[in-house]
Amino acid sequence: MPLKLKSIFTLFLLTCTLSSSVAQGMLSPKASELKIQQLAVAPEQFNPNFTSEVAEKAMPLSTSFIEKAPEVGFPEMVSEFIASPYVMREFRAAWVATVANINWPSRNGLSTQEQQKEALSLLDFLKAHNYNAVIFQARPQADALYDSQLEPWSYFLSGEVGKAPSPYYDPLQFWIDAAHERGMELHVWLNPYRAHHGTGGAVVPKSLVRTNPDIMVSLRNGMWWMDPSKQATQDHSSAVVMDIVKRYNIDGIHFDDYFYPYASYNGGQDFPDADSYQIYLKSGGKLTRPDWRRAEVNKFVKRIYHEIKAEKPEVKFGISPFGIWRPGYPHSIKGLDQYNELYADAKLWLNEGWIDYFTPQLYWEINKVGQSFPLLLDWWEKENTQNRHLWPGIRIDYGRNAANVTETMNQIDLTRKMVSESKGTAHWSIGSLLKDPMLTKALVEGPYKNQALVPASPWLNATPPKAPVVETRFADHKITISWSHDASDTILNWVVFYKYAETWEYIILDRTKKSLEMSLYNGTSENSKPLTNIGVTAVDKTGNQSSFNTMVVGELLFWGAD
């Protein structure tokens, strides 16, 4: 039944008296203000409670109501930028490993349909649990889970190196499209130097080990590695990265902790690059062997960052190094020295701003002696002199029990408090989430109860998109809000803000959604609250949010009824 004019006018009078001021979010305290090892877990205060559904098209009006409430459209009319009400900002990602078929596909040799079904199931799971990013391993061993002219199709897809999916599809493109359709970022995870993994089948003629033997060295555990010091290695890996950046609509390029391999991979022996080092010395080089190795890795990291920015500045470059820079930093920290074993000067990359986000693998518990999670996080935060995103990688598989849930919740909370300018974590891995329903239930009912946008990257792009054009329809005690945008291909998310009585709340929608239906009243008949205000903003691929135009529902109803 359509609303009567009397109730419309009453609602109009009520809403015209309400303030349309913008709610402001408060930043968490700085790390220096905290007792790092004694932080308490505090749940988020924001708690949207609504019943609504996404409509792909605006609902048609009943004939009896069209005369009273025609469609009302409101183009952008604000010349100065107006901030939206509060919306949570937090990077929430999970790694999806393809090497050894750890996460996807579940085994090699699956059909195209089975692979796609598994991929959609993983992405739907992340979406349902309010994650907003996926870190997808597209190059596990100098091969490709995408259509490449530089490297062969991956063994982990078909069980045969160089064999394309049949029926044909491009797995990376499929993952990108499916992630974006769910409003999630997709970051392409690559191993820059690993050429062959022990689980990758036999080394066959199509393998890069055979086609590019001049840059390869064998390790005692059966792996093959590209020599990071060789210019041909750096040129090839750069070409692979830039091929992906140029051809795919990705949100990020992601390296993990494998630069020079762990010593255990070669039976504790030094990396076999004596010939390369001798060539360097004969050419007039003066650096020690460790410094020479680090210099070559540093040169490559800097090169990749600048090449990505020259091609597509909005594509983020992130690295997830081993969580300890060097033992003794900070003082009580012990463990592997990545500086002298992996020849990765991760501190330098962060200090120089050669990355857009930094995800150190802090895979230790809060109270772990020698590798304390909060002490390491605080140390990395102090090294973040360029104010890049610091989104630590956390381990979430300490056991499928209440203790693991508590540890994970506490680590997320610590990160929110200690890295207040850009909150976020990456979870190792999606497999642990799938196998631990106790943890996933605690996440979606606790810290991830509410949706969040990925934090913006203002050093990449600080220009907000235009505000969308919003239209409304009323019927059967409901409002259908629809919107359009003249540059929708640059938009990743829409945020619909709404206020029942006095409280602003929001829902984040993916780029494919263009409308939302909501009730004009919320709650029971005895405690019903009217919908008083609405507004829609656009969020672009670097996290910039458009200006916010609030609409008073009572005015819309009154104008339509008149």
Side-chain angles (χ1 to χ4, degrees):
M1 293 288 292
L3 289 173
K4 291 186 173 67
L5 183 59
K6 179 178 179 180
S7 62
I8 295 173
F9 189 66
T10 301
L11 183 58
F12 165 67
L13 292 178
L14 171 65
T15 56
C16 282
T17 64
L18 295 176
S19 169
S20 59
S21 60
V22 176
Q24 300 295 326
M26 298 299 292
L27 293 177
S28 301
K30 295 287 186 181
S32 61
E33 299 171 354
L34 302 171
K35 293 182 179 179
I36 297 170
Q37 293 182 320
Q38 299 179 354
L39 292 174
V41 177
E44 292 293 319
Q45 297 301 312
F46 186 75
N47 182 23
N49 180 19
F50 61 90
T51 55
S52 60
E53 65 182 59
V54 176
E56 292 296 328
K57 296 183 180 179
M59 290 185 61
L61 296 173
S62 62
T63 304
S64 61
F65 194 60
I66 290 177
E67 294 180 358
K68 292 185 177 181
E71 184 175 287
V72 182
F74 290 85
E76 182 180 13
M77 300 175 65
V78 178
S79 58
E80 63 177 311
F81 185 86
I82 300 175
S84 76
Y86 173 78
V87 57
M88 179 70 174
R89 292 270 185 169
E90 182 173 51
F91 186 72
R92 301 172 182 172
W95 277 284
V96 175
T98 59
V99 65
N101 298 108
I102 291 175
N103 298 136
W104 183 88
S106 59
R107 60 179 175 84
N108 61 53
L110 293 180
S111 69
T112 292
Q113 183 179 13
E114 290 171 324
Q115 289 178 10
Q116 292 179 347
K117 182 179 179 181
E118 286 189 355
L120 294 179
S121 177
L122 294 177
L123 288 168
D124 285 340
F125 176 87
L126 293 176
K127 176 66 175 176
H129 290 80
N130 287 335
Y131 285 74
N132 53 29
V134 57
I135 304 171
F136 174 71
Q137 190 177 33
R139 188 209 193 200
Q141 55 164 20
D143 56 4
L145 281 87
Y146 59 97
D147 197 339
S148 171
Q149 299 299 311
L150 300 174
E151 295 181 330
W153 284 101
S154 178
Y155 171 88
F156 302 114
L157 283 173
S158 66
E160 179 181 333
V161 175
K163 183 178 180 180
S166 181
Y168 174 82
Y169 84 112
D170 186 321
L172 177 56
Q173 187 64 59
F174 184 85
W175 273 83
I176 292 168
D177 292 341
H180 288 173
E181 287 169 3
R182 288 156 179 78
M184 301 171 63
E185 291 191 350
L186 187 132
H187 295 233
V188 175
W189 166 19
L190 306 97
N191 296 109
Y193 302 127
R194 186 168 64 199
H196 182 77
H197 191 269
T199 63
V203 177
V204 298
K206 290 182 179 179
S207 169
L208 219 69
V209 173
R210 297 290 180 244
T211 61
N212 296 61
D214 293 343
I215 62 174
M216 299 295 172
V217 298
S218 62
L219 304 179
R220 296 192 177 191
N221 69 346
M223 288 188 185
W224 286 81
W225 217 262
M226 289 179 272
D227 185 342
S229 72
K230 291 191 173 183
Q231 190 63 42
T233 294
Q234 297 176 30
D235 290 344
H236 177 77
S237 290
S238 170
V240 169
V241 170
M242 295 312 299
D243 177 53
I244 294 172
V245 170
K246 291 175 181 178
R247 292 195 294 122
Y248 293 91
N249 182 26
I250 62 172
D251 301 290
I253 289 288
H254 182 93
F255 289 170
D256 58 17
D257 55 327
Y258 295 112
F259 293 91
Y260 280 82
Y262 287 87
S264 60
Y265 291 6
N266 200 36
Q269 301 299 308
D270 198 15
F271 185 77
D273 59 358
D275 291 344
S276 299
Y277 185 57
Q278 287 303 312
I279 292 172
Y280 165 75
L281 291 177
K282 290 178 181 178
S283 69
K286 302 297 184 183
L287 295 176
T288 65
R289 199 165 174 180
D291 286 342
W292 164 71
R293 288 172 175 171
R294 277 188 293 272
E296 293 299 328
V297 173
N298 292 338
K299 180 175 71 174
F300 179 71
V301 169
K302 182 179 180 180
R303 170 182 177 174
I304 294 299
Y305 183 75
H306 288 293
E307 287 183 347
I308 291 173
K309 298 312 157 195
E311 181 66 30
K312 288 184 181 177
E314 71 276 10
V315 172
K316 292 186 278 286
F317 179 42
I319 297 181
S320 180
F322 184 73
I324 299 170
W325 178 59
R326 304 199 69 183
Y329 295 86
H331 178 70
S332 63
I333 295 300
K334 301 176 181 179
L336 182 142
D337 186 350
Q338 69 170 310
Y339 185 84
N340 272 330
E341 181 168 324
L342 307 182
Y343 303 98
D345 191 353
K347 173 179 173 292
L348 177 69
W349 312 333
L350 183 61
N351 294 160
E352 294 292 333
W354 294 342
I355 42 85
D356 298 304
Y357 68 92
F358 196 68
T359 306
Q361 296 175 18
L362 303 187
Y363 294 166
W364 301 283
E365 296 168 289
I366 291 171
N367 295 324
K368 176 72 171 176
V369 176
Q371 298 91 33
S372 166
F373 174 86
L375 288 179
L376 283 165
L377 179 59
D378 181 63
W379 186 84
W380 284 114
E381 167 72 356
K382 289 181 170 65
E383 293 297 327
N384 188 16
T385 55
Q386 299 293 327
N387 293 318
R388 298 302 197 237
H389 300 301
L390 177 57
W391 299 325
I394 66 174
R395 177 184 168 187
I396 56 175
D397 63 346
Y398 291 105
R400 299 170 200 167
N401 51 36
N404 183 56
V405 171
T406 299
E407 181 70 29
T408 302
M409 300 298 106
N410 286 347
Q411 290 194 9
I412 292 173
D413 187 70
L414 277 167
T415 303
R416 287 177 170 182
K417 292 175 178 176
M418 296 173 67
V419 192
S420 59
E421 296 301 321
S422 178
K423 301 176 178 66
T425 55
H427 295 178
W428 176 258
S429 68
I430 194 172
S432 300
L433 291 169
L434 295 170
K435 296 172 184 176
D436 194 343
M438 183 186 300
L439 174 61
T440 53
K441 183 175 185 290
L443 283 168
V444 78
E445 292 180 355
Y448 290 0
K449 184 173 184 178
N450 306 309
Q451 295 173 294
L453 295 173
V454 173
S457 304
W459 58 91
L460 299 181
N461 174 22
T463 303
K466 292 176 61 178
V469 176
V470 180
E471 296 178 342
T472 58
R473 287 175 181 259
F474 298 91
D476 299 328
H477 299 275
K478 295 179 180 179
I479 179 173
T480 297
I481 311 160
S482 58
W483 53 91
S484 61
H485 200 281
D486 59 7
S488 58
D489 59 330
T490 67
I491 304 303
L492 182 64
N493 294 109
W494 312 102
V495 185
V496 179
F497 295 89
Y498 57 95
K499 183 192 289 188
Y500 285 102
E502 296 293 339
T503 304
W504 276 112
E505 299 176 3
Y506 65 86
I507 179 171
I508 300 171
L509 301 173
D510 65 75
R511 59 179 299 178
T512 68
K513 305 300 188 294
K514 297 296 174 63
S515 64
L516 181 71
E517 182 184 85
M518 304 186 72
S519 173
L520 289 173
Y521 290 90
N522 189 30
T524 64
S525 56
E526 295 81 12
N527 189 28
S528 182
K529 297 179 181 178
L531 179 67
T532 59
N533 296 77
I534 58 171
V536 183
T537 60
V539 184
D540 68 18
K541 295 176 182 179
T542 50
N544 296 309
Q545 192 177 11
S546 70
S547 185
F548 176 73
N549 301 333
T550 186
M551 299 182 185
V552 180
V553 174
E555 294 176 0
L556 301 179
L557 280 164
F558 182 76
W559 292 333
D562 191 47

